[in-house]
């Protein structure tokens, strides 16, 4: 087949809203864009362990500690699902980690904000994971099959993340004045950065059109941001906190909430490395990777030592796994 | 080189007895035993499986997408393999 035939076949698959699978021919630009999208998402999950991981040792009860551990473990798992999906496009996992550490690939700007109080754990579950769910549910229909399947798995697990956060906040709101103030303070600090998670406004998002045509993005940034605001306002009311936006009000004509202008200068500063915690997050990731080097080396040495042994038992192992194979 | 040479394993899960193992993703591990443990930790955190297979990705032979049409062609013109190929009068019962 000529390149034109291959490209036509690719375009037809996209036009029919069918999934692209790993070994299909794809244009270089599609491959590069999807790798960048998945890698950025994977890095966000991995870096996203840090702000909340900060509170594991200081969780107020064994129940809360177990929940937080499980949640942070999920974030690690989500990162792994996504690196696995990126590898189906020919990316190399170690290379992606290098690119994260050296700043050549980005992660979500939200994880560059500090977690100053325990209420932040609840607000991250409620707002940050809530925004992530808004972003991610449509990606379960990404044109790239392995990414879409990873997203289905991730979205199921994110639901626990959001609910544990909201439940935590409801518990604190039933507590002392100091606890209620902590919830309000955390909401004040995370509201605007959560709105920034959807990315720049549509007018300043030049890649959106191509990404939507390829089916790797299903809604624009502003559509998703509006959806998130509409979903969240009643949750804030029920919780009894005030969202820090004086312009936030229901617009009967539009059938949506109006909200104030996002500070895009702050967003740009944080994305380009000047947020409160950028350097700390990357340094910690780099240290964790370096500290794990001896474990990876030891595992390889152990595997090499036992390889001969494994070959001897391979046959009986195979028979144990698939007894039906012994009948032919 | 990825993880100092840890090879890639593809992971297959049996969700419950009576179902086939289904491909769920991949991971890197130093050896098959570690791949099984990592697969359990990564893909069955919520009881998604009762059995796991791990296979070295390099041991899988797959049909090439480029050959797709010719490779699957032999079954394309054999419509008589489908029950709907045969006309049976409506008044024949239990058919």
């Amino acid at each position: 087949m000529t390149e034109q035939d291959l490209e036509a076949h690719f375009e037809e698959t996209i036009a029919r809203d069918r999934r692209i699978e790993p070994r299909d021919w794809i244009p270089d630009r599609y491959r590069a864009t999807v790798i960048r999208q998945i890698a950025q998402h994977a890095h966000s999950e991995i870096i996203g362990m840090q702000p909340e991981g900060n509170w594991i040792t200081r969780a107020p009860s064994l129940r809360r500690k177990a929940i937080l551990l499980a949640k942070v473990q999920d974030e690690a798992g989500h990162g792994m699902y996504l690196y696995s999906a990126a590898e189906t496009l020919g990316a190399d996992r170690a290379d992606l980690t290098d690119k994260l550490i050296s700043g050549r690939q980005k992660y979500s700007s939200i994880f560059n904000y500090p977690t100053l109080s325990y209420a932040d754990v609840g607000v991250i579950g409620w707002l940050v994971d809530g925004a992530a769910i808004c972003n991610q549910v449509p990606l379960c229909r990404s044109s790239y099959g392995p990414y879409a399947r990873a997203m289905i798995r991730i979205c199921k697990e994110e639901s626990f993340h959001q609910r544990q956060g909201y439940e935590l906040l409801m518990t604190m709101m039933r507590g002392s004045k100091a606890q209620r103030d902590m919830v309000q303070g955390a909401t004040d600090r995370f509201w605007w950065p959560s709105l920034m998670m959807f990315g720049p406004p549509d007018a300043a998002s030049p890649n959106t059109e191509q990404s939507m045509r390829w089916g790797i993005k299903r809604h624009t940034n502003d559509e998703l941001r509006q959806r998130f605001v509409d979903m969240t306002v009643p949750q804030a009311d029920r919780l009894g906190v005030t969202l820090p936006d004086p312009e936030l009000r229901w617009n009967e004509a539009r059938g949506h909430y109006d909200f104030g202008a996002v500070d895009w200068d702050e967003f740009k500063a944080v994305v380009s490395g000047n947020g409160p915690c950028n350097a700390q997050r990357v340094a910690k990731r780099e240290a964790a990777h370096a500290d794990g080097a001896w474990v990876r080396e030891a595992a390889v040495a152990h595997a090499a030592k036992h390889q001969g042994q494994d070959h001897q038992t391979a046959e009986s192992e195979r028979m144990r796994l698939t007894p039906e194979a012994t009948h032919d | 080189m990825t993880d100092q040479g840890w090879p890639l394993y593809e992971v297959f899960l049996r969700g419950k007895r009576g179902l086939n193992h289904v491909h769920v993703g991949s991971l890197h591990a130093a050896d098959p035993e570690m791949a099984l443990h990592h697969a359990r930790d990564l893909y069955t955190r919520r009881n998604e499986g009762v059995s796991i297979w791990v296979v070295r990705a390099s041991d899988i032979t797959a049909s090439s997408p480029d050959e797709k049409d010719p490779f699957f062609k032999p079954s394309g013109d054999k419509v008589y393999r489908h029950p709907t190929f045969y006309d049976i009068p409506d008044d024949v019962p239990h058919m």
Side-chain angles (χ1 to χ4, degrees), chain A residues 107-121:
Chain A
Y107 54 88
S108 177
S109 58
I110 191 78
F111 302 115
N112 289 315
Y113 291 88
T115 43
L116 303 179
S117 86
Y118 179 68
D120 290 19
V121 171

Side-chain angles (χ1 to χ4, degrees), chain A residues 276-324:
Chain A
C277 299
N278 296 54
Q280 179 190 332
R281 299 291 187 238
V282 172
K284 188 154 185 176
R285 177 70 192 95
E286 185 170 17
H289 191 60
D291 290 348
W294 72 270
V295 179
R296 296 192 291 275
E297 284 159 22
V300 170
H302 179 81
K305 199 169 149 189
H306 289 84
Q307 204 164 27
Q309 223 169 303
D310 283 350
H311 277 301
Q312 283 162 21
T313 56
E315 185 62 15
S316 55
E317 191 76 356
R318 191 179 65 80
M319 286 164 64
R320 190 175 61 77
L321 280 170
T322 57
E324 59 270 29

Side-chain angles (χ1 to χ4, degrees), chain A residues 1 6 9 23-24 73-74 77-78 80-81 84 87 92-94 153 157 160-161 289 293 295-297 299-300 302-303 310 321-322, chain B residues 1-6 8 13 24-28 30-32 34 41-43 45-46 48 52-53 56 62-66 68:
Chain A
M1 279 205 264
L6 292 167
H9 183 70
R23 295 165 76 250
D24 288 340
Q73 190 185 14
D74 272 355
H78 296 175
M80 296 300 118
Y81 302 158
S84 163
E87 282 186 305
D92 176 89
R93 199 176 296 218
R153 190 172 268 276
E157 300 181 358
F160 140 59
H161 296 181
H289 191 60
V295 179
R296 296 192 291 275
E297 284 159 22
V300 170
H302 179 81
D310 283 350
L321 280 170
T322 57
Chain B
M1 189 58 212
T2 302
D3 290 329
Q4 273 86 42
W6 286 12
L8 187 67
L13 278 189
V24 290
S26 63
L27 47 76
H28 290 272
D31 59 31
M34 182 195 260
D41 293 346
L42 185 56
Y43 290 105
R45 289 198 304 284
R46 289 172 176 79
E48 292 95 335
I52 303 174
W53 288 349
R56 282 277 289 260
S63 60
S64 159
D66 294 344
K68 199 173 107 186

Side-chain angles (χ1 to χ4, degrees), chain A residues 85-133:
Chain A
E87 282 186 305
T88 65
L89 286 162
D92 176 89
R93 199 176 296 218
D95 180 52
L96 296 177
T97 299
D98 282 346
K99 284 182 170 146
L100 167 65
I101 289 169
S102 62
R104 280 173 293 158
Q105 284 178 341
K106 307 268 186 227
Y107 54 88
S108 177
S109 58
I110 191 78
F111 302 115
N112 289 315
Y113 291 88
T115 43
L116 303 179
S117 86
Y118 179 68
D120 290 19
V121 171
V123 166
I124 287 175
W126 172 40
L127 295 180
V128 176
D129 292 319
I133 291 170

Side-chain angles (χ1 to χ4, degrees), chain B residues 67-78:
Chain B
E67 296 170 10
K68 199 173 107 186
D69 292 337
F71 191 73
F72 294 104
K73 202 151 190 175
S75 66
D77 58 356
K78 295 176 179 62

Side-chain angles (χ1 to χ4, degrees), chain A residues 19-57:
Chain A
R19 297 292 174 262
I20 303 293
E21 293 298 341
R23 295 165 76 250
D24 288 340
W25 183 92
I26 50 177
D28 290 343
R29 285 211 309 135
Y30 179 89
R31 183 184 305 276
T33 305
V34 177
I35 287 177
R36 196 180 59 233
Q37 184 185 19
I38 300 176
Q40 183 166 329
H41 189 172
H43 297 330
S44 300
E45 301 282 0
I46 295 300
I47 295 290
M49 289 192 280
Q50 292 184 36
E52 290 177 281
N54 188 34
W55 285 92
I56 290 174
T57 56

